[in-house]
Amino acid sequence: LIHTGSHVIIIAHDEERFSLDRLRALAESSGVPLAPIQSFKGAADKERILRAVQTSPGPLTIVFYGHGGKNHLWLKEGQHGREEANDLKLPHAISYTELADALIARKDLDTVSMLIDACYSYNFSVQLLNALASKGVKTPPTIISSSNFDRLSFGESLIGEIEQTHQIAGPLRMQDAFNAEDGAFEKQDF
């Protein structure tokens, strides 16, 4: 998922609790030098985020840490109870269609991995994959989400568990995400 050859795009909601520093530390401990790590926080970075996805070279890992809805990754607002919106062009959120378009422009989606730590991240992932498929994408990115279908996921369920299970100073592997699953599963709203 994250290794020496990866380009990493870290995206966080603008709330203070969604820390870019801890995500950078996770990428660095996975062997990624500082140069191919791009960090973005809040709605002011939306266009730069989408441009970075479109233009990133080689293997890419996108990490989102914040509030989510079925149609959006929220960069500002979007807290529980206010996460649903049908407008797919909001200035303070990235919709599944906007991310799909950026990924399609990038190409080579078989080299893209995504970690989404947000409420309704499974729903968002399904919407994203459907949008990609409807536009002819045959090989979609690998997506790991913190929530199950129609579920909330509470405060750092995925990122926190990956930090605990990841072997320091080595690549972040799919096995690390699987090992984090048990702890993350307990932090969902049933």
Side-chain angles (χ1 to χ4, degrees):
L1 296 174
I2 302 177
H3 53 82
T4 304
S6 297
H7 183 92
V8 180
I9 296 174
I10 299 169
I11 308 163
H13 188 277
D14 74 349
E15 285 181 12
E16 188 176 326
R17 70 182 170 128
F18 299 113
S19 168
L20 290 172
D21 292 337
R22 69 190 288 205
L23 297 175
R24 269 193 227 87
L26 181 62
E28 289 171 26
S29 73
S30 300
V32 179
L34 287 176
I37 299 173
Q38 292 180 276
S39 302
F40 303 97
K41 189 167 180 72
D45 282 343
K46 178 178 176 175
E47 293 308 316
R48 285 184 294 221
I49 293 166
L50 294 172
R51 195 168 37 260
V53 170
Q54 292 171 358
T55 61
S56 61
L60 170 65
T61 300
I62 301 168
V63 181
F64 178 80
Y65 187 36
H67 295 294
K70 296 175 183 177
N71 297 326
H72 299 88
L73 300 176
W74 293 90
L75 303 169
K76 180 179 181 179
E77 301 176 7
Q79 291 84 352
H80 177 59
R82 298 182 306 202
E83 74 279 350
E84 292 306 316
N86 292 322
D87 183 348
L88 300 178
K89 296 286 184 186
L90 294 171
H92 50 279
I94 298 172
S95 70
Y96 66 88
T97 59
E98 292 170 313
L99 186 55
D101 289 343
L103 287 166
I104 289 168
R106 178 193 191 276
K107 302 179 180 158
D108 298 324
L109 299 187
D110 59 331
T111 65
V112 176
S113 299
M114 298 176 65
L115 301 172
I116 305 174
D117 196 348
C119 292
Y120 302 107
S121 52
Y122 183 96
N123 298 70
F124 179 87
S125 299
V126 169
Q127 295 272 56
L128 175 61
L129 293 171
N130 287 339
L132 291 168
S134 75
K135 295 179 181 201
V137 171
K138 301 284 188 236
T139 308
T142 298
I143 304 175
I144 298 172
S145 66
S146 63
S147 71
N148 279 319
F149 187 75
D150 278 346
R151 297 286 186 214
L152 303 175
S153 117
F154 289 99
E156 65 191 47
S157 60
L158 178 62
I159 300 300
E161 292 300 320
I162 286 176
E163 285 174 327
Q164 289 182 15
T165 61
H166 177 242
Q167 296 177 355
I168 301 301
L172 179 65
R173 304 164 296 138
M174 188 67 79
Q175 186 61 49
D176 294 316
F178 287 135
N179 292 344
E181 184 178 26
D182 289 337
F185 183 74
E186 294 172 6
K187 295 177 182 163
Q188 291 184 48
D189 176 30
F190 298 99

